[in-house]
Each structure stands twice: as C-alpha cells, then as structure tokens.
Amino acid sequence: MKDNIVIIGGGIAGMEAAHQLLLLGYKPILVEKSDHLGGHVADWHKLFPDMSPAKDAVRDLEEKIKEANIFLETEVSFINRLKNGYNVMFTNGVNVICKAILLATGFNLFEASRKEEYGYGIYNQVMTNSDLERWFNTGDDKRINGKEIKKVGFVHCVGSRDVKAGNPQCSKVCCITAIKQAMEVKEFFPDAEVYCFYMDLRLFGKKYEDFYIKAQMESGVHFIRGRVSEVSENIEGKVIVKTEDTLSGKPAKVTLDLLVLMSGIVCNKQAVDTASLVQVKTDSDGFLKSKDNILNIIETDSKGVFLAGTATGPKTVPETVAEARAAALAIHNYLVTLK
Amino acid sequence: MDFGFSISPSSTINLDKVDFTLYDRLCEIEPDAKKCMACGSCSATCTAGPWTGMSVRKVILGIQRGKESEAEKMLKGCMLCGKCTMVCPRGINTRHLILSLCRIYGEGER
Ligand SMILES: Cc1cc2nc3c(=O)[nH]c(=O)nc-3n(C[C@H](O)[C@H](O)[C@H](O)COP(=O)(O)OP(=O)(O)OC[C@H]3O[C@@H](n4cnc5c(N)ncnc54)[C@H](O)[C@@H]3O)c2cc1C
Ligand code: SF4
Ligand code: SF4
Ligand code: SF4
C-alpha cells in the first residue's frame, strides 16, 4: 500500500480529489463531519449551466470513491507534525500517520438573518436561495405551499460586497443562481411577475449570459438595478421592498408574495480552526490562504498540506472539480519527491 | 384654501401600479425590446440625443416603468438616422423599434 493521504471535507472537492487519488493508486481517507457526502451540492436541485440534477453529480462521484476509506460524522480532533508527515487523530478514535493532507472544507452560506433589514426569520415570506433549492427538492415549504404566488423578488448580494457584513467579496455564483432560480420559479408560476434586484450582473461563466438573455426574452424576468435597502411587511403578510431604480434615478417600491435572498459564500469558520492545526493561515478575504493566488492556489506554506475547492474562495462546481484534480496531482508529485 | 405652498408629488416608482399594457404591446411587435441590457451605447452614439433628450435606452426603460408620456416626448427628438441600431450589442433593431412605438402611439391618437 502506498502512503496515507487524509482528505478533510467530503464535498465535491474532497470527493473528486479522492477519486483521482484512487486512480493514481492511493487509498485516501476521507473525513466528513455531516452524515452524508456531497457538501452543499447535495442540497441543490439542478446545477447551472446544464440544469442537470445535482443529486446525479453527487451519486456519480459516490460511485467512483467506493474504494476510499470514508468516515462520516467524523472530524479532526488534533494533528501533530512529524518529520515527513502528520499524525492525525479523528473524533471517531481512529489515529493515522499520513504524508499529505488535503483541506477541502468548503464554505458556509452567509447567515441571512444577520441582514436584519431584509427580514429573514422576521417576516414570513422571506427565504434564502438555499431554502428555495430545498423547496425544489422536497416541495415542502409553508412560505410557498398553499400561498398565492403572484409576485416574487430576488435580492442579489446578500452578505456579499458588504463591508459592514464583514464580507467585501463578491460571491460569484449568486448572480447566475438568482437568474436560474428566477426562471425556475417562472416555470412553476407562469403568471407571476419576477424581479431581480441587482447592483451588477456578474455573469462570468460559460453560457451564463445566455441564461440572462433567456430570462429576459422567454421568462420575462424584470431586472431592477439597485440594492434593496429595506423590506417591511404589510397587514396581509406580503413583503414590501424598497430600492432605488438606479437606471431611472428614482426610488422604487414593490409588494411581493415571496422574497428570495441570495445569501453569499463566506469562509467556513470551523475550517479555519482545523487549518490552524497545520499552520495554514487565513487570507485577507477570510478564506484559507494559498501559497499564492496565481500559480500556487492549491499549495500552502505548510509542507504536505494542500487546498481544493471553495475553502479558498467562491467557486462553481466545474472550478471546484478542476482544482480537486489539480490537487490530487500536486499531492502525487509531492509524495514522489519525498521518495 | 391657499396656504401658499403645496405638496410635491412623490417621484417613487410604484411597481405595483405600473401598467404594462404598452410594454406588452411593444414586446408583441418588437420582442427584442426585452433584450435591452441598458448599456447606453444607443444613447451615446445618438446625434440628436444631446439636443433633444432622445435616448433609446431611456425610452425602453420608461415604458418598462410606466413613464409613457416621457418616452413619447423623447421620441419626437429622433431623426431616424439608425446609428443606434448599428451600435446595439444585443442586436436590437432600435430604429425599427422606434418606428413601431410611433405607430403604437399613433394608434392611440386615432
Ligand atoms: C445557492 C447556491 C447554488 C449553487 N448552485 C450551483 C450550480 O448550480 N452549479 C455550480 O457549478 N455551482 C453551484 N454552486 C456552487 C457550489 O455549491 C460549490 O462550487 C461547491 O459546493 C463547492 O464544493 P466544496 O467541496 O468546495 O465545498 P462544500 O460544498 O462546502 O463541501 C465542503 C464539505 O466539507 C465538510 N467539512 C467542512 N469542514 C469540515 C471539517 N472541519 N471536518 C470534516 N468535514 C468538514 C462539509 O460538511 C461539507 O460536506 C452554488 C452555490 C450556492 C451558494
Ligand atoms: S455574484 Fe452577483 S449576487 Fe453574488 S455577490 Fe457577486 S454581484 Fe452579488
Ligand atoms: S435613429 Fe434616432 S435614436 Fe437612433 S441614433 Fe438616430 S436619432 Fe438617435
Ligand atoms: S444599445 Fe441596445 S442594449 Fe444598449 S441600451 Fe441601447 S437598446 Fe439597450
């Protein structure tokens, strides 16, 4: 058997890295704190840009990593540095000596209730992007079921591009997610008026602009440029949204049956603690710090410790997968040089 | 009674009250109107704009926000040269759109 490799985090990044390492002949140990693999993607319904089922993507990867040592509901309790590797103790009592560690700890969704002015957890008809994905998957949400849904709004940049919320970064995936979800909502409620309140539309990826044009042309989504300043509730329980229509240069307001907040991607605070066990620091944006952010995003300043996926910043699934593959190769090359 | 002052009307765009009839009618004839991304290329290139206030971007936006009379006023400044059509990155035939709008407004007058 070849050298031990520990992968922390069983999201797309950790799973794809495990898959590639298996192909390279290693038997990686994958630890995941929750009771299932897939990370956030396991919560999503359909993935942009192909609109393929998220659960197929997770199942596909699960099939490919059957041979790996997978510990669910397990975390790292401590890590000791050895001469050419690490001694890792898991919460399930297992203790391993390994040569390389991959931090694939992912991100946290911004806690929407922290933006009190948007009323999440205060007004009944306010939900998050994640809640809406859950409704697509389960069909169960009292904010939608049994309600007359005639007007729906999507608030971009919730907890992103917001210095006061502690996150000046753009979360990158939420503009396209908002457009994707706006179009999906239109499919469920064809007569509904759907509004997207945005500051900029950051549609950087393959086919994203096509989504935008389709949302305009086929779904008739109304795009209003302006950041929502406040949300209130009327006696009928509907939400009133205030913004500036900055294209008109005038304040605007609208009453909605449902408001969806595009919660952003923020660093996983718990992962920061795990990373500190192997002296990996956080970058100025709060995410885990790579050796550099151009050619060595996968490497760290700690010997034998690598990074992949959203642990270092907002990323899409294909970007995460690409990084995970690169990380597997980087680990392989590192282990070869140790010989 | 005259108090010597009056209340100025609110400039707020109340999207609950916007009447989309004209916009829907325009989209029937000119579906590409929906494609506008408010880039402003049309207005920047318009020779008439700086003197007459004509702006295709503002006309489309005005109709989307129920400011129809403002849109109609702007249209009067257009000389149908077609420069805006040449620059529109979304490939909207803006000159044709202007003509269609004039036709719709014409129908209203009859
Ligand atoms: C609303 C929304 C919709 C999206 N939709 C799409 C889409 O349609 N298409 C697309 O390409 N991208 C989409 N994305 C982006 C996508 O979710 C990410 O690219 C992907 O989740 C990144 O995977 P990851 O493995 O890096 O992180 P995660 O998905 O966050 O997985 C990390 C895993 O690590 C585990 N973990 C964390 N810390 C520890 C620890 N200390 N010990 C053990 N385990 C730990 C977590 O439990 C989790 O399972 C969307 C994002 C959002 C917010
Ligand atoms: S991707 Fe769009 S919604 Fe998300 S933070 Fe960036 S600009 Fe805002
Ligand atoms: S057609 Fe009218 S709006 Fe277009 S550039 Fe010429 S004058 Fe301006
Ligand atoms: S150039 Fe085209 S897309 Fe740009 S504002 Fe004018 S009509 Fe809209």
Side-chain angles (χ1 to χ4, degrees):
Chain A
M1 187 48 236
K2 285 202 196 174
D3 317 277
N4 274 335
I5 301 160
V6 169
I7 302 173
I8 305 172
I12 294 295
M15 292 172 91
E16 177 61 26
H19 169 221
Q20 296 298 324
L21 288 167
L22 282 166
L23 293 176
L24 287 164
Y26 300 93
K27 200 169 163 70
I29 298 159
L30 181 62
V31 286
E32 165 57 47
K33 68 175 176 199
S34 75
D35 63 358
H36 63 274
L37 294 173
H40 283 93
V41 175
D43 297 337
W44 310 151
H45 179 55
K46 284 183 185 166
L47 298 178
F48 58 77
D50 289 356
M51 299 305 277
S52 49
K55 74 171 176 324
D56 288 1
V58 174
R59 200 193 300 126
D60 186 44
L61 276 173
E62 255 169 343
E63 284 296 317
K64 289 172 172 163
I65 60 170
K66 284 218 160 91
E67 299 300 310
N69 283 312
I70 301 170
F71 300 148
L72 296 177
E73 295 180 88
T74 305
E75 290 171 46
V76 168
S77 26
F78 67 81
I79 304 178
N80 283 335
R81 223 211 118 157
L82 308 172
K83 186 164 168 284
N84 255 337
Y86 296 90
N87 175 11
V88 187
M89 180 77 172
F90 300 119
T91 48
N92 62 0
V94 175
N95 194 6
V96 297
I97 309 261
C98 67
K99 292 267 168 63
I101 295 176
L102 178 65
L103 296 168
T105 42
F107 67 96
N108 279 357
L109 206 64
F110 176 80
E111 248 175 78
S113 55
R114 282 184 51 211
K115 291 289 297 175
E116 266 179 48
E117 59 269 44
Y118 293 163
Y120 185 71
I122 303 171
Y123 308 135
N124 290 335
Q125 291 309 98
V126 182
M127 57 160 46
T128 63
N129 42 7
S130 176
D131 296 336
L132 185 58
E133 289 294 318
R134 192 178 309 117
W135 181 74
F136 290 148
N137 273 326
T138 63
D140 179 27
D141 196 301
K142 60 181 187 328
R143 286 164 285 204
I144 303 179
N145 296 356
K147 294 263 157 64
E148 204 188 8
I149 304 292
K150 285 257 147 83
K151 287 200 282 177
V152 184
F154 288 84
V155 185
H156 291 228
C157 305
V158 175
S160 307
R161 305 176 70 192
D162 188 338
V163 174
K164 265 161 73 188
N167 182 31
Q169 310 301 319
C170 164
S171 293
K172 216 168 103 168
V173 300
C174 19
C175 271
I176 179 65
T177 301
I179 290 179
K180 181 200 81 142
Q181 294 188 335
M183 287 161 71
E184 288 174 301
V185 161
K186 263 299 241 199
E187 277 173 32
F188 280 102
F189 308 103
D191 298 330
E193 298 291 349
V194 177
Y195 300 86
C196 280
F197 301 97
Y198 68 98
M199 292 197 279
D200 302 289
L201 289 173
R202 299 188 164 179
L203 300 164
F204 62 95
K206 186 176 169 77
K207 298 194 188 175
Y208 293 6
E209 193 75 10
D210 299 349
F211 269 71
Y212 177 24
I213 297 177
K214 212 168 151 202
Q216 289 178 305
M217 292 297 285
E218 290 172 27
S219 309
V221 173
H222 304 287
F223 288 90
I224 314 272
R225 197 187 74 184
R227 189 178 181 105
V228 171
S229 64
E230 61 180 298
V231 177
S232 53
E233 193 180 53
N234 70 12
I235 30 174
E236 294 158 58
K238 294 177 192 267
V239 280
I240 302 164
V241 165
K242 276 191 188 172
T243 185
E244 187 191 7
D245 173 19
T246 59
L247 288 173
S248 304
K250 293 192 175 79
K253 64 173 183 186
V254 63
T255 313
L256 302 169
D257 302 310
L258 183 69
L259 188 67
V260 188
L261 307 180
M262 289 296 128
S263 276
I265 286 182
V266 295
C267 79
N268 172 354
K269 281 262 159 48
Q270 195 204 345
V272 171
D273 298 337
T274 310
S276 68
L277 296 174
V278 283
Q279 282 76 50
V280 170
K281 296 196 178 67
T282 49
D283 211 337
S284 57
D285 58 2
F287 290 90
L288 299 189
K289 194 171 186 315
S290 307
K291 191 167 212 144
D292 66 59
N293 295 314
I294 300 167
L295 291 180
N296 295 296
I297 189 131
I298 281 149
E299 286 80 7
T300 66
D301 289 326
S302 304
K303 222 177 134 194
V305 181
F306 299 84
L307 304 162
T310 47
T312 56
K315 264 161 222 141
T316 64
V317 171
E319 288 169 335
T320 301
V321 166
E323 264 193 12
R325 289 180 184 163
L329 190 60
I331 290 171
H332 171 69
N333 289 335
Y334 169 74
L335 294 178
V336 169
T337 59
L338 281 186
K339 294 259 149 68
Chain B
M1 200 184 295
D2 182 8
F3 291 106
F5 62 87
S6 62
I7 297 166
S8 43
S10 166
S11 66
T12 298
I13 298 172
N14 186 345
L15 290 164
D16 296 336
K17 301 221 169 108
V18 170
D19 178 1
F20 288 116
T21 319
L22 179 65
Y23 182 57
D24 291 343
R25 176 95 179 86
L26 174 66
C27 292
E28 260 169 48
I29 321 173
E30 300 281 344
D32 277 359
K34 294 188 263 185
K35 252 197 216 170
C36 175
M37 57 174 172
C39 71
S41 296
C42 50
S43 321
T45 201
C46 177
T47 319
W51 284 274
T52 68
M54 173 59 191
S55 156
V56 181
R57 175 183 78 75
K58 284 190 189 165
V59 166
I60 296 175
L61 181 74
I63 293 168
Q64 288 171 339
R65 302 286 188 266
K67 309 268 169 201
E68 289 161 20
S69 55
E70 286 173 31
E72 191 177 7
K73 221 180 289 160
M74 270 186 261
L75 284 176
K76 298 211 165 84
C78 171
M79 53 191 182
L80 294 171
C81 68
K83 268 172 86 183
C84 48
T85 303
M86 292 179 68
V87 296
C88 175
R90 281 279 171 96
I92 305 171
N93 189 336
T94 47
R95 185 176 179 277
H96 199 269
L97 186 146
I98 293 165
L99 282 169
S100 297
L101 258 180
C102 291
R103 202 166 308 128
I104 297 172
Y105 280 120
E107 283 165 12
E109 273 157 30
R110 254 184 281 129

